[in-house]
Amino acid sequence: KKKDSVISITSTVTAVSPEISTTVNKTSKMLPLLFYWQWEYRRTSTLNPAIAVSYFNKAVRLQSHKGLYKKLQGQQLELTIEQLPGTFAFVDKAHLIWLILGKISWNKIYTEAAVADMIISYKVLQNGVTTKSGNITVANNDKNKKFRFLQSWKSAISEYLDNYNKNITIMSKDFTDQLAEELQ
């Protein structure tokens, strides 16, 4: 790949492990009463930040050709990724009522989205001297989503990851637009 001499992107977000993701299973909020039981099963996954960084890098470079390079006017831009969304959970809230002749149970299963926003700091340099710097925060619009009827965990994970990748790209485009406004 050709190295871009105008825009450099670095990240301070470090991976917990070199794997694509790490998952922790936890059963919490257990309420075992005599005739009523309730518990919450949570499967929390943390994605490797290199995935989001590559989507951010690609989106920023594509968007920058639409006007950011013109606004830089030969100056260099250094971007540092401070924070990215990268944790999500599958939550199963189960309820059980014991009756004399049997039991009644129901579950609420949903994907809990990451709450972290995207935070990027930037520096505009001319001949090695900083002319402008700042931070831009892009809100994460990812929302909790219920499982569809008879949807498997595997398809729910695939669906969430597709939406996650799209969301990172959209947030990156929003960042580029905000940066272009600040550079005016």
Side-chain angles (χ1 to χ4, degrees):
K1 288 184 179 180
K2 252 182 154 177
K3 190 159 180 143
D4 191 349
S5 62
V6 177
I7 298 175
S8 68
I9 299 173
T10 58
S11 175
T12 61
V13 183
T14 57
V16 176
S17 74
E19 298 174 0
I20 292 174
S21 69
T22 56
T23 303
V24 176
N25 298 322
K26 182 180 177 186
T27 302
S28 62
K29 298 183 182 176
M30 185 73 157
L31 181 64
L33 300 175
L34 189 58
F35 294 108
Y36 175 75
W37 286 16
Q38 176 183 332
W39 64 93
E40 180 179 287
Y41 176 75
R42 181 177 293 272
R43 182 179 221 166
T44 306
S45 295
T46 303
L47 298 173
N48 190 326
I51 298 167
V53 169
S54 70
Y55 276 95
F56 175 81
N57 193 353
K58 182 179 178 182
V60 166
R61 297 208 188 275
L62 286 173
Q63 284 292 110
S64 61
H65 288 290
K66 294 182 180 178
L68 194 58
Y69 281 121
K70 292 176 190 172
K71 293 189 181 197
L72 288 172
Q73 299 173 349
Q75 300 179 80
Q76 294 175 328
L77 177 64
E78 289 183 0
L79 302 176
T80 305
I81 301 169
E82 305 288 338
Q83 179 179 309
L84 288 168
T87 302
F88 65 97
F90 288 103
V91 181
D92 181 2
K93 290 186 177 182
H95 305 270
L96 179 77
I97 297 175
W98 294 98
L99 301 173
I100 295 171
L101 299 173
K103 62 183 178 180
I104 299 172
S105 65
W106 67 96
N107 292 18
K108 181 180 178 186
I109 304 172
Y110 60 94
T111 306
E112 189 175 78
V115 294
D117 294 332
M118 180 184 284
I119 301 174
I120 312 293
S121 63
Y122 69 91
K123 283 187 204 173
V124 179
L125 304 165
Q126 186 162 9
N127 299 327
V129 179
T130 303
T131 59
K132 188 167 188 172
S133 64
N135 284 338
I136 295 178
T137 301
V138 180
N140 185 1
N141 295 326
D142 211 2
K143 299 198 176 9
N144 294 351
K145 186 172 185 265
K146 288 183 180 179
F147 276 35
R148 292 189 314 273
F149 186 68
L150 296 177
Q151 184 178 20
S152 69
W153 285 85
K154 184 177 179 180
S155 71
I157 289 172
S158 294
E159 189 175 302
Y160 178 81
L161 292 176
D162 286 343
N163 288 335
Y164 173 78
N165 294 340
K166 289 174 189 172
N167 190 35
I168 293 293
T169 302
I170 290 168
M171 291 171 72
S172 302
K173 289 177 183 178
D174 290 346
F175 163 77
T176 308
D177 294 340
Q178 287 182 29
L179 180 61
E181 286 178 19
E182 285 194 21
L183 293 179
Q184 287 183 0

